[in-house]
Amino acid sequence: MKTKQRPLSHGVDLQRRRAPIYDADDIEALRRVCQESSTILDEITRHIVPGVTTQELDDRIEAMMRDFGGVAATLGYKGYPASSCISVNHVVNHGIPSPGKRLQDGDIVNIDVTLLKDGWYGDNSRMYLVGDKCSLRARKLVDTTYDAMMAGIAQVRPGAELMEIGLAIQTVAHAVGFSVVEEYCGHGVGRAFHDAPMIMHYAVPTDRMKMQPGMVFTVEPMINAGKKGVKQLSDGWTVVTRDRSLSAQFEHTVVVTENGHDILTRSPKGFTKPPYPV
């Protein structure tokens, strides 16, 4: 019998780590880098047009990181060769920017950015619609993925079990016939790029850890328009849907507060889901 693959956060096994608890000063320092990371996703919006290469987008992202006085956490991480992950259409995650990959009118694309500055990691990702020819199904997938992420985040509060996040995400996705990728998960973030706790995006009845004020983690569901199966390509990074169906992802970094939660990576321009005003 084939054993189910343990969910991973970018290839990191977090099950045996203890989730750190950050104090108020830590949270404010993390908020600053998260806001700068989110600003990068705001500013790249106007450059996402038919014909642009994913390498050109990555170059702009790297330049903005330098302008903020930080660096890309992904560049050189376990050998990853770029400053962002840019995943187009059926690419689920870890798409490597390339000068040979031009965005086409009708594509959907996820851009995942983690800014490392002053020892803090600001991690977030966002979906974009390229041009004005995106199909209704593609738009529905993008909208549903955002709604699923926000439904999961709505469960974040002291005393709640981590399982509640995945259950909420799964419920939103399955209600419209979409599937949730199970091989990858959200993760703690702050002083480390990938830390405990693991955040599953589907219901795991044994995931009974209770959230505590000061916990910081990402909620980043990957939702497929077809079946949930994925595979990794020979480059060792790019993950695609097995059935070539479209995939979408959104990601926020969230802190558990005394009364609920706070999203540290909210868009400074108020962008939520596309199309965004330019």
Side-chain angles (χ1 to χ4, degrees):
M1 179 182 295
K2 183 177 180 181
T3 302
K4 180 177 175 58
Q5 180 178 339
R6 176 179 294 174
L8 299 173
S9 175
H10 302 266
V12 179
D13 182 357
L14 305 176
Q15 287 190 329
R16 298 182 181 181
R17 298 188 190 179
R18 176 174 294 182
I21 302 298
Y22 293 107
D23 63 24
D25 289 341
D26 293 335
I27 297 302
E28 288 311 305
L30 183 54
R31 186 190 307 278
R32 287 192 290 272
V33 71
C34 282
Q35 282 295 285
E36 290 171 346
S37 188
S38 188
T39 295
I40 291 170
L41 291 183
D42 281 356
E43 295 303 318
I44 203 65
T45 303
R46 60 193 175 95
H47 300 289
I48 300 175
V49 295
V52 70
T53 70
T54 54
Q55 184 64 60
E56 289 170 334
L57 295 175
D58 189 67
D59 290 344
R60 289 183 181 277
I61 288 167
E62 183 180 16
M64 284 188 278
M65 289 181 170
R66 290 198 304 269
D67 289 344
F68 277 125
V71 297
T74 56
L75 185 61
Y77 178 77
K78 294 184 179 292
Y80 187 77
S83 296
S84 64
C85 298
I86 303 182
S87 304
V88 183
N89 292 335
H90 69 289
V91 178
V92 176
N93 61 15
H94 304 164
I96 301 173
S98 167
K101 178 62 177 178
R102 293 189 181 275
L103 298 184
Q104 304 296 317
D105 200 341
D107 285 345
I108 61 172
V109 56
N110 174 272
I111 299 184
D112 191 334
V113 168
T114 305
L115 176 65
L116 171 58
K117 180 179 176 182
D118 299 328
W120 295 99
Y121 291 82
D123 191 3
N124 61 164
S125 82
R126 199 178 297 170
M127 291 299 298
Y128 301 84
L129 307 179
V130 182
D132 56 10
K133 295 182 180 178
C134 292
S135 69
L136 291 177
R137 185 166 179 80
R139 290 172 182 265
K140 179 66 173 178
L141 175 65
V142 170
D143 286 350
T144 299
T145 305
Y146 177 83
D147 293 343
M149 176 189 66
M150 295 305 293
I153 290 173
Q155 311 311 308
V156 177
R157 62 194 185 279
E161 295 177 348
L162 291 179
M163 178 190 69
E164 297 178 44
I165 299 174
L167 177 60
I169 290 169
Q170 173 182 288
T171 299
V172 171
H174 288 181
V176 293
F178 295 149
S179 61
V180 181
V181 173
E182 298 181 359
E183 283 80 0
Y184 296 88
C185 65
H187 54 90
V189 65
R191 283 292 188 186
F193 192 179
H194 299 105
D195 211 334
M198 298 172 70
I199 305 299
M200 304 301 160
H201 302 126
Y202 62 101
V204 180
T206 58
D207 195 9
R208 310 305 294 269
M209 179 187 288
K210 294 186 183 298
M211 300 177 225
Q212 302 175 50
M215 280 185 176
V216 180
F217 48 78
T218 67
V219 179
E220 49 178 305
M222 287 145 270
I223 308 297
N224 295 345
K227 296 181 179 180
K228 65 182 181 181
V230 302
K231 64 179 180 180
Q232 188 178 75
L233 300 185
S234 59
D235 62 19
W237 286 102
T238 307
V239 177
V240 300
T241 54
R242 285 190 175 274
D243 61 6
R244 303 282 293 186
S245 63
L246 293 174
S247 187
Q249 180 187 22
F250 282 89
E251 175 185 14
H252 270 313
T253 292
V254 182
V255 57
V256 184
T257 66
E258 294 292 339
N259 301 312
H261 64 268
D262 190 8
I263 299 174
L264 301 180
T265 47
R266 287 189 188 277
S267 161
K269 289 189 175 181
F271 295 171
T272 55
K273 53 188 175 182
Y276 308 113
V278 179

